[in-house]
Amino acid sequence: MADSSSTGLTLFSPYKMGKFNLSHRVVLAPMTRCRALNEVPQPSLVEYYSQRSTPGGFLITEGTSPSDASAGFPHVPGIYTDEQVEAWKKVVDAVHAKGAIIFCQLWHVGRASHQVLQPGGGSPISSTNNPISKRWKVLLPDGSHDAYPEPRRLETHEIPQIVEQYRHAALNAIRAGFDGIEIHSAHGYLIDQFLKDGINDRTDEYGGSLENRCKFLIETVQAVVEAVGADRVAVRISPAIDHLDATDSDPIGLGLAVIERLNKLQQDVGSKLAYLHVTQPRFAAHGQVEFDQDEARFMRTLRNAYEGTFMASGGFTRELGMEAVASGDTDLVSYGRQFISNPDLVLRFKLNAPLNKYNRETFYTHDPVVGYTDYPFLNSESVKED
């Protein structure tokens, strides 16, 4: 990394993210938690997000389905019905009452689903008809795991329908009071299945060249920007992550191609997107963290190419986050597992206090309290802020 004293900035320095004034740079990362029974946010979600809200803080929701065929886990929330919109309003109101800002992450998993999670027991859709390899398993509603099934390759004429689902979901998110939306285009899910040449084997206008593979993402971003405004829209990408077999022959080339097109879109509409969220190569689905200078250069190359707010995620500790911000390698850092077990993570980071350990076994269970809202806060009597 660059000299950590180069900017004088820390995780606790204010930041202006477009029209949003953030009081610090510690962001709640989007994390699937499987507590939205029957795809509707429950009161437990109100408590969960409220616990993690701070004045001027920024939160991103768990992946939220833009349609009834989008989910890849049981009991993930949707935002395609009026009932879901009304339920999300309570979450948003609680977050806003704490003075925080919240975006809704729109998440279509594509082939990373299963017939039991699909309406009518149909096949999941994708850019391809090749399934995810047997090394990966899908979580089913009964708690068991199964291999991912063979997906159905989307016909060219169907793709605008999926774009429309994102647009409609974005409008619903704004109706629910969200401050903006993040388009999940990472980690081997639907949009990433178009971006990565290790998956996308199409021969139509959405496959082959980098230009074609970026087409679905850019059409989706354009549609959502036209609906809700560029300053309310963000994009998440993971060019170097092979989660769910999402490999690419040239990750840096892919990342730069996406960024080039996002920069052009911003220029064309005369407004910047809210941010670009990039998962760095050190991210691993099971928590192993490795890091080397090649990975630092990878992230720095993307950061320097993007004309706007840059958010990094993937394996950050307090110290690594402080270094990344101070060296100018990122504007914002999103934290996942540490925020699960430490609802007051911002305060703990500020005080450099010990962290609660997370229990991986309750990440995807459905209990509205255990492993969800019952992680302890610092004892307010024994902790005094400066």
Side-chain angles (χ1 to χ4, degrees), residues 8 68 111 209 230 308 354:
D68 62 358
R111 69 175 185 169
S209 67

Side-chain angles (χ1 to χ4, degrees), residues 127-139:
S127 64
T128 180
N129 56 16
N130 292 319
I132 297 170
S133 68
K134 297 292 191 282
R135 67 180 286 239
W136 305 96
K137 301 294 182 184
V138 59
L139 176 64

Side-chain angles (χ1 to χ4, degrees), residues 63-109:
T64 302
S65 300
S67 75
D68 62 358
S70 306
F73 284 77
H75 301 300
V76 299
I79 195 154
Y80 51 88
T81 70
D82 288 340
E83 181 184 12
Q84 292 163 342
V85 170
E86 291 303 311
W88 273 121
K89 285 181 180 178
K90 298 173 184 176
V91 175
V92 174
D93 287 348
V95 170
H96 285 165
K98 292 281 191 75
I101 296 145
I102 185 167
F103 274 33
C104 180
Q105 189 196 65
L106 301 183
W107 179 43
H108 196 310
V109 304

Side-chain angles (χ1 to χ4, degrees), residues 236 277-284 289 312-316 320 333-334:
R236 188 177 197 183
H277 191 179
V278 181
T279 313
Q280 61 185 354
R282 79 174 79 167
F283 169 87
V289 174
S313 64
F316 279 97
L320 290 172
V333 181
S334 71

Side-chain angles (χ1 to χ4, degrees), residues 142-210:
D142 65 2
S144 65
H145 291 80
D146 196 6
Y148 285 100
E150 182 177 311
R152 180 179 69 80
R153 185 198 309 269
L154 278 168
E155 299 291 338
T156 305
H157 70 84
E158 293 178 292
I159 293 175
Q161 299 168 26
I162 307 300
V163 173
E164 171 58 23
Q165 291 172 3
Y166 279 98
R167 190 191 73 85
H168 186 257
L171 287 169
N172 278 348
I174 300 304
R175 188 157 62 93
F178 282 105
D179 299 293
I181 64 100
E182 178 181 284
I183 299 172
H184 195 350
S185 315
H187 302 172
Y189 298 114
L190 181 61
I191 295 176
D192 208 24
Q193 292 160 26
F194 278 81
L195 292 173
K196 299 280 180 67
D197 64 9
I199 300 175
N200 187 337
D201 57 359
R202 304 177 72 90
T203 57
D204 64 0
E205 65 201 77
Y206 292 93
S209 67
L210 267 175

Side-chain angles (χ1 to χ4, degrees), residues 286-331:
H286 299 291
Q288 297 88 351
V289 174
E290 297 179 358
F291 183 69
D292 61 34
Q293 288 305 310
D294 287 342
E295 294 170 353
R297 281 191 290 271
F298 177 90
M299 290 294 284
R300 199 168 292 135
T301 299
L302 299 186
R303 196 275 201 275
N304 290 338
Y306 181 62
E307 298 168 1
T309 295
F310 192 88
M311 183 188 300
S313 64
F316 279 97
T317 60
R318 177 188 186 276
E319 291 69 29
L320 290 172
M322 292 286 276
E323 289 176 11
V325 170
S327 63
D329 284 350
T330 193
D331 298 307

